[in-house]
Amino acid sequence: MNNEIVGEYKMSSSDNYDAYLSALGTGMIMRKLLTTAKPTETISIAGDTIAIKISTVSKTNEIKFTLGQQFDETTISDKQFRTTVTSEGNILIQNQIDGDSKTGVITREFTTEGMTKKMEFGPVKARQVYTKAT
């Protein structure tokens, strides 16, 4: 993965995020907080380590990983996963497995204008579009 993905991305639109959070088992109050927020995702790279920091007014979450190596992830909605992130060209693919062996996938596709984030958990799909701020 190259340094072109490094930067700050601000969410400009979201589709079906509440249903996605519900499928994850996120409670109603946390869903309301997260669906009304306009998160910023900040991506940095230091050596082989990629960090993705998701910030809202009420909550911040950060994951750090090396491509292809499984790690323990706690999402911004407090869901626990065993996660592996890989890349294909300008796309980061985040494969998640929870304690019940249910799987989820988050893809982040980067362009010069920003990022499109697609989230799947079971049959539920959601999408967020981000513009690159820096």
Side-chain angles (χ1 to χ4, degrees):
M1 183 90 329
N2 61 40
N3 284 334
E4 291 178 12
I5 70 166
V6 170
E8 185 177 278
Y9 299 82
K10 296 185 182 284
M11 190 182 78
S12 56
S13 67
S14 182
D15 181 47
N16 211 37
Y17 191 49
D18 185 68
Y20 170 76
L21 292 171
S22 182
L24 289 176
T26 306
M28 184 178 62
I29 293 171
M30 179 61 77
R31 285 198 328 264
K32 289 295 178 195
L33 286 171
L34 293 174
T35 56
T36 58
K38 292 276 190 178
T40 298
E41 291 201 15
T42 304
I43 300 175
S44 59
I45 300 175
D48 290 338
T49 302
I50 299 172
I52 300 175
K53 181 178 180 181
I54 302 171
S55 304
T56 69
V57 172
S58 60
K59 192 162 175 128
T60 298
N61 187 60
E62 184 173 30
I63 59 171
K64 293 182 179 182
F65 56 89
T66 300
L67 290 175
Q69 294 185 7
Q70 192 175 63
F71 65 97
D72 292 321
E73 175 188 9
T74 301
T75 67
I76 196 162
S77 64
D78 293 325
K79 179 80 173 170
Q80 305 262 331
F81 287 107
R82 293 289 294 155
T83 299
T84 305
V85 181
T86 57
S87 70
E88 292 180 12
N90 64 334
I91 301 172
L92 282 179
I93 304 155
Q94 187 173 336
N95 289 290
Q96 304 166 310
I97 303 170
D98 73 5
D100 296 324
S101 297
K102 294 179 183 172
T103 61
V105 177
I106 297 173
T107 60
R108 290 175 175 87
E109 184 172 3
F110 298 91
T111 66
T112 55
E113 292 83 32
M115 168 183 70
T116 299
K117 180 178 177 180
K118 295 178 183 174
M119 299 157 280
E120 297 181 28
F121 191 74
V124 180
K125 297 179 182 182
R127 180 176 173 264
Q128 294 176 330
V129 176
Y130 291 76
T131 55
K132 191 166 186 177
T134 60

